[in-house]
Amino acid sequence: MTSRRGLLLRLSALTGAAGLSGCSSLLARQAESPTGDLDPNPRADELPIRQHAWNERLRSDAAGNDLLPHHFRLFMLDLDTEPSDAAAETVELAMRTLEDAYEFNSAGLLHMLAWGTNYFDTYGSLDTSPIRSPRALSRTDDPDLQSFDAMLVLASDVPSHLAAAESAMFDTRPRLADTEIQGRLGDVFSVADRRGGFIGEGLPAAHADAEGVPADIPEESYMFSGFFAGRSGTQASEDRVTIDDGPYAGGTTIHLSRINEAFDTWWELAQSDRVKRLFSAEFSPADIDRGDLPFADVVREHASSEGEVGHFEKVARARKDGEPILLRRDFNTIDGGQAGLHFLSLQEHPRDFEEVRDAMNGWWLREEHEELRDRQNNGLLEFIEVVSRSNFYVPPRDKRAFPAP
């Protein structure tokens, strides 16, 4: 197995030969210490080594489901400088500022710094990285395939924490909570795009003036669809989505999609029909609470007998050893005035997401019934459109500043 130290030393020689002296210096120093001359993170013992290990810091409901923070902000980032020791220290100190200012939980601030396909393509080899360029995954969508250097993910139950963190990282806010600003991400990156959203009862109804949803969406709705998302039986564990070995071990990958939703006609359907479309014909509205949903692999039979299939019963086929392979941290959005979803998915390999999306397409069911088409009567596909796709790698916490490309 190639060690991280050996990989970094070889990369430093290659980048030095190519004239990227700053990058060469950084990689050589990272081979000895991921944080250069900085002291080890003083909060390392109280924080999970995996940036994506949020579950133990989340609230849970009576059924044992993890509840995501109510509010999210995503920042798509472009590097304004070549990798260097100084840039790496700035990034690390900026992330430590967030950790010092707020507890790492839903009531405080949860965060991840991820690195995108443009970073790996520019400063290393995208082909040998844990991610790859996004691609169109459905013949019914034409998404914008995007590439960024990095992405900052922020989440909290307290909206003001997100606003304060944004100002501290990308503006001139002098302090964050009671913490001195040690570094700003804005000194290294520029914000290429900013995205936001929310999840939880009452929040979709509070934002139902957007295009694509009716104004009278029920107050108790958790998502714009009206149903709860994130049931424990439909989510991969954090262990399953973690890369096991190699130079990127301990990290994970993110696939991020922006999905527009057109749910006006969705809410015109009877509740029993909405349950069929989102779940399966085997469930009634009375079956749909927040508990685990049993999966019976009878989607072909439903396609043949019902002329329609549910979203859940299609994607549930894409499992390994009977377990889900994606850990979703998706949330509602009204960015641009359009109701939709920022679908943020964690998985060990990008191909895991692609496998689930292939199952969701359901094209292999079309021959079962003439009324089942690419979109029509095919789960949620009639009501959604994928607008953009991008991929990222999330390093472990101690290697989050310029991971080895």
Side-chain angles (χ1 to χ4, degrees), residues 288-299:
I288 306 303
D289 54 21
R290 292 192 176 191
D292 192 10
L293 290 175
F295 169 59
D297 191 3
V298 290
V299 63

Side-chain angles (χ1 to χ4, degrees), residues 266 269-283 298-311 313-314 362 365-366 368-373 375-380 382-383:
W266 169 263
L269 298 173
Q271 187 182 17
S272 58
D273 289 330
R274 296 199 303 272
V275 168
K276 283 184 180 180
R277 293 292 185 91
L278 188 57
F279 298 101
S280 160
E282 67 185 300
F283 299 116
V298 290
V299 63
R300 287 191 182 276
E301 289 81 351
H302 288 161
S304 178
S305 63
E306 304 288 334
E308 62 180 352
V309 293
H311 171 79
E313 64 181 333
K314 289 185 298 177
L365 297 168
R366 285 189 49 176
E368 302 295 333
H369 200 287
E370 62 180 9
E371 293 184 5
L372 201 159
R373 314 303 298 164
R375 287 188 183 273
Q376 282 68 40
N377 299 317
N378 195 345
L380 292 176
E382 182 179 346
F383 305 95

Side-chain angles (χ1 to χ4, degrees), residues 174-329:
R175 297 182 68 84
L176 182 58
D178 294 324
T179 299
E180 180 182 353
I181 306 297
Q182 303 177 60
R184 300 183 194 274
L185 292 179
D187 291 339
V188 175
F189 299 102
S190 57
V191 178
D193 195 13
R194 176 185 179 280
R195 306 173 189 180
F198 47 88
I199 187 169
E201 291 182 6
L203 292 172
H207 295 85
D209 54 347
E211 182 178 350
V213 291
D216 58 350
I217 184 172
E219 179 67 27
E220 66 273 14
S221 295
Y222 192 82
M223 305 290 288
F224 280 130
S225 67
F227 293 98
F228 176 74
R231 298 164 193 269
S232 58
T234 66
Q235 294 275 66
S237 68
E238 289 172 338
D239 286 342
R240 181 172 284 275
V241 303
T242 299
I243 298 170
D244 285 333
D245 52 33
Y248 301 100
T252 190
T253 73
I254 286 177
H255 178 79
L256 179 67
S257 305
R258 163 62 198 253
I259 299 175
N260 284 349
E261 296 173 332
F263 276 156
D264 298 285
T265 57
W266 169 263
W267 284 99
E268 295 174 0
L269 298 173
Q271 187 182 17
S272 58
D273 289 330
R274 296 199 303 272
V275 168
K276 283 184 180 180
R277 293 292 185 91
L278 188 57
F279 298 101
S280 160
E282 67 185 300
F283 299 116
S284 70
D287 298 322
I288 306 303
D289 54 21
R290 292 192 176 191
D292 192 10
L293 290 175
F295 169 59
D297 191 3
V298 290
V299 63
R300 287 191 182 276
E301 289 81 351
H302 288 161
S304 178
S305 63
E306 304 288 334
E308 62 180 352
V309 293
H311 171 79
F312 166 77
E313 64 181 333
K314 289 185 298 177
V315 300
R317 288 171 57 96
R319 299 188 175 198
K320 293 180 181 177
D321 303 321
E323 297 294 327
I325 55 178
L326 304 186
L327 176 55
R328 302 190 325 276
R329 290 183 174 149

